[in-house]
Amino acid sequence: MKILTVIGARPQFIKAAPVSREIRKHFKEIIVHTGQHYDENMSNIFFEELNIPKPDYNLNVGSGKHGEQTGNMLIKIEEVILKEKPDAVLVYGDTNSTLAGALAASKLLIPVIHVEAGLRSFNKAMPEEQNRVLTDHISDLLFCPTETAVKNLKSEGIEKGVYNVGDVMFDSILYNIEIAKKKSNILERLGLKEKEYILVTIHRAENTNYKEKLINIFNALKDSNEKIVLPLHPRTRKFINDYGIEVGQNIEIIEPVGYLDMIMLELSAKKILTDSGGVQKESYFLDVPCITMREETEWIETVEDGWNVLVGSDYEAILNAIRFFMPKGEKHDYFGNGHSSERIVEIINRTLQK
Ligand code: UD1
Ligand code: UDP
């Protein structure tokens, strides 16, 4: 059996690492990197650190408008599928690379496997929501990370091929946490003391694309007077420059970091402020209070348990949460047991193997 994996953006490399390791014990895997993310510290660093096999194809699609980027991927992925003739195409999450991979395969009648299926924010203005809804509706095997995701699919009439396998990002954290403690020296490099700083990430279009929202966020960060560490996504760097935003002296902006450094920054942070999907879950896994700069989240379990709070881009709400938010709830094992990748491969083997 031959599986063609399509990945292209930072969180997909992290999700693919444990699954690919498991796939290769049983099947042949071809990795296609769309080139959506291409900077050294947005792409290569993850392949090296996480021992992800070098992509068999790099489509070098790069940045662009949504339709243009997705369309270019679609054209090039189709060519690879026609050449490789895989038995299934595997995609992750909700980026333009996810939709392009799924659509190319579906039109060629190749089974589509979607890992991290069923997530919903119910906000159709998000490019990610468009990508995930469309991908789910053309997928044959839908691997959900939580029971909520299974219910979301059911309410859209998707029940066949749906499995709650837990979250592959939990597999990834468990596998890498001890490695990160041994290998990462980011705390020493930045002179950071445990639980004396706040870690921040910002990259969602819904925040970066609106000058006023980004200004509110940076004003709240400045006025908190906390020590802030901000590994800056290139999208956000561009908008900070375009809008001429003044960054407070208490905010240390650094380049995006590798996964092992990121785990250490998360683990040692007093609180985490983010608009990332993956980082919300990692805060929960690592017992760090999370403040989410969004109006809604797909990861509602983290909020229901009291470990995550939604503040949008509201100045007062961000400041209040930085000062006063403390988790109060008990945690649950909503995200599986750290063996999601094995379950995924076992189910593929059972259901698709010829
Ligand atoms: C994409 C995903 C988003 C995901 C995020 C993970 C879509 C629609 N969005 O958002 O769901 O949360 O990845 O990080 O697929 N850039 C660089 N170097 C790079 C990559 C990007 O400079 O290596 C800059 C370019 O100016 C580019 C911008 O970042 O235009 C945005 O990149 P893009 O991949 O389009 O979207 P992300 O914001 O990264
Ligand atoms: N991450 C990283 N370095 C960084 C920022 C994030 O390794 O500088 C990791 C983070 O730990 C998580 C993943 O990237 O595993 C999340 O990706 P991102 O926030 O870009 O996308 P999202 O999850 O929102 O789609």
Side-chain angles (χ1 to χ4, degrees), residues 9-11 36-39 42 63-64 66 69 94-97 127-128 131 203-204 233-235 238:
R10 172 168 69 187
Q36 177 169 353
H37 287 174
Y38 43 84
D39 290 347
M42 292 295 289
S63 306
H66 284 283
Q69 186 185 50
D94 54 20
T95 73
N96 289 345
S97 299
E128 292 84 357
N131 289 337
H203 76 276
R204 286 276 158 204
H233 192 290
R235 163 194 277 285
K238 183 178 160 293

Side-chain angles (χ1 to χ4, degrees), residues 277-331:
V279 175
Q280 288 176 64
K281 282 184 286 174
E282 287 166 353
S283 307
Y284 186 83
F285 299 153
L286 297 171
D287 297 333
V288 182
C290 186
I291 302 163
T292 297
M293 296 178 286
R294 290 187 48 201
E295 301 296 338
E296 69 284 306
T297 181
E298 301 77 33
W299 306 105
I300 55 166
E301 298 81 358
T302 62
V303 176
E304 285 168 3
D305 269 6
W307 279 80
N308 188 4
V309 63
L310 300 178
V311 292
S313 55
D314 183 74
Y315 171 88
E316 289 292 342
I318 297 174
L319 211 49
N320 267 331
I322 291 179
R323 290 189 181 138
F324 305 117
F325 175 61
M326 284 314 277
K328 35 191 178 305
E330 205 183 299
K331 293 170 71 182

Side-chain angles (χ1 to χ4, degrees), residues 10-11 14 46 169 203-204 231 256-257 259 262 266 276-278 282:
R10 172 168 69 187
I14 292 159
F46 299 100
M169 288 190 90
H203 76 276
R204 286 276 158 204
V257 295
Y259 184 57
M262 188 64 182
E266 290 174 335
S276 157
E282 287 166 353

Side-chain angles (χ1 to χ4, degrees), residues 148-163:
T148 306
V150 174
K151 285 191 191 127
N152 289 339
L153 291 176
K154 193 170 178 193
S155 73
E156 291 173 24
I158 307 175
E159 290 187 71
K160 196 167 162 269
V162 174
Y163 299 86

Side-chain angles (χ1 to χ4, degrees), residues 30-125:
I30 302 287
I31 295 185
V32 178
H33 185 329
T34 62
Q36 177 169 353
H37 287 174
Y38 43 84
D39 290 347
E40 179 63 31
N41 53 11
M42 292 295 289
S43 175
N44 269 353
I45 189 168
F46 299 100
F47 284 82
E48 279 159 25
E49 271 190 342
L50 303 180
N51 288 320
I52 306 167
K54 206 169 154 331
D56 300 274
Y57 296 86
N58 192 323
L59 308 180
N60 292 313
V61 165
S63 306
K65 297 190 284 292
H66 284 283
E68 179 190 33
Q69 186 185 50
T70 313
N72 284 334
M73 289 175 190
L74 188 59
I75 293 169
K76 293 186 174 188
I77 295 168
E78 182 176 62
E79 278 170 27
V80 178
I81 295 178
L82 286 171
K83 181 164 168 238
E84 291 289 344
K85 301 184 178 47
D87 298 295
V89 168
L90 173 62
V91 296
Y92 294 88
D94 54 20
T95 73
N96 289 345
S97 299
T98 314
L99 178 61
L103 195 51
S106 171
K107 285 187 179 290
L108 292 169
L109 305 182
I110 309 278
V112 177
I113 306 169
H114 187 200
V115 172
E116 211 176 74
L119 274 294
R120 295 291 181 267
S121 67
F122 304 101
N123 173 1
K124 277 197 183 152

Side-chain angles (χ1 to χ4, degrees), residues 128-144:
E128 292 84 357
E129 184 79 353
Q130 300 164 0
N131 289 337
R132 54 173 95 97
V133 170
L134 294 169
T135 301
D136 283 338
H137 281 262
I138 51 174
S139 291
D140 298 274
L141 276 180
L142 300 97
F143 292 119
C144 296

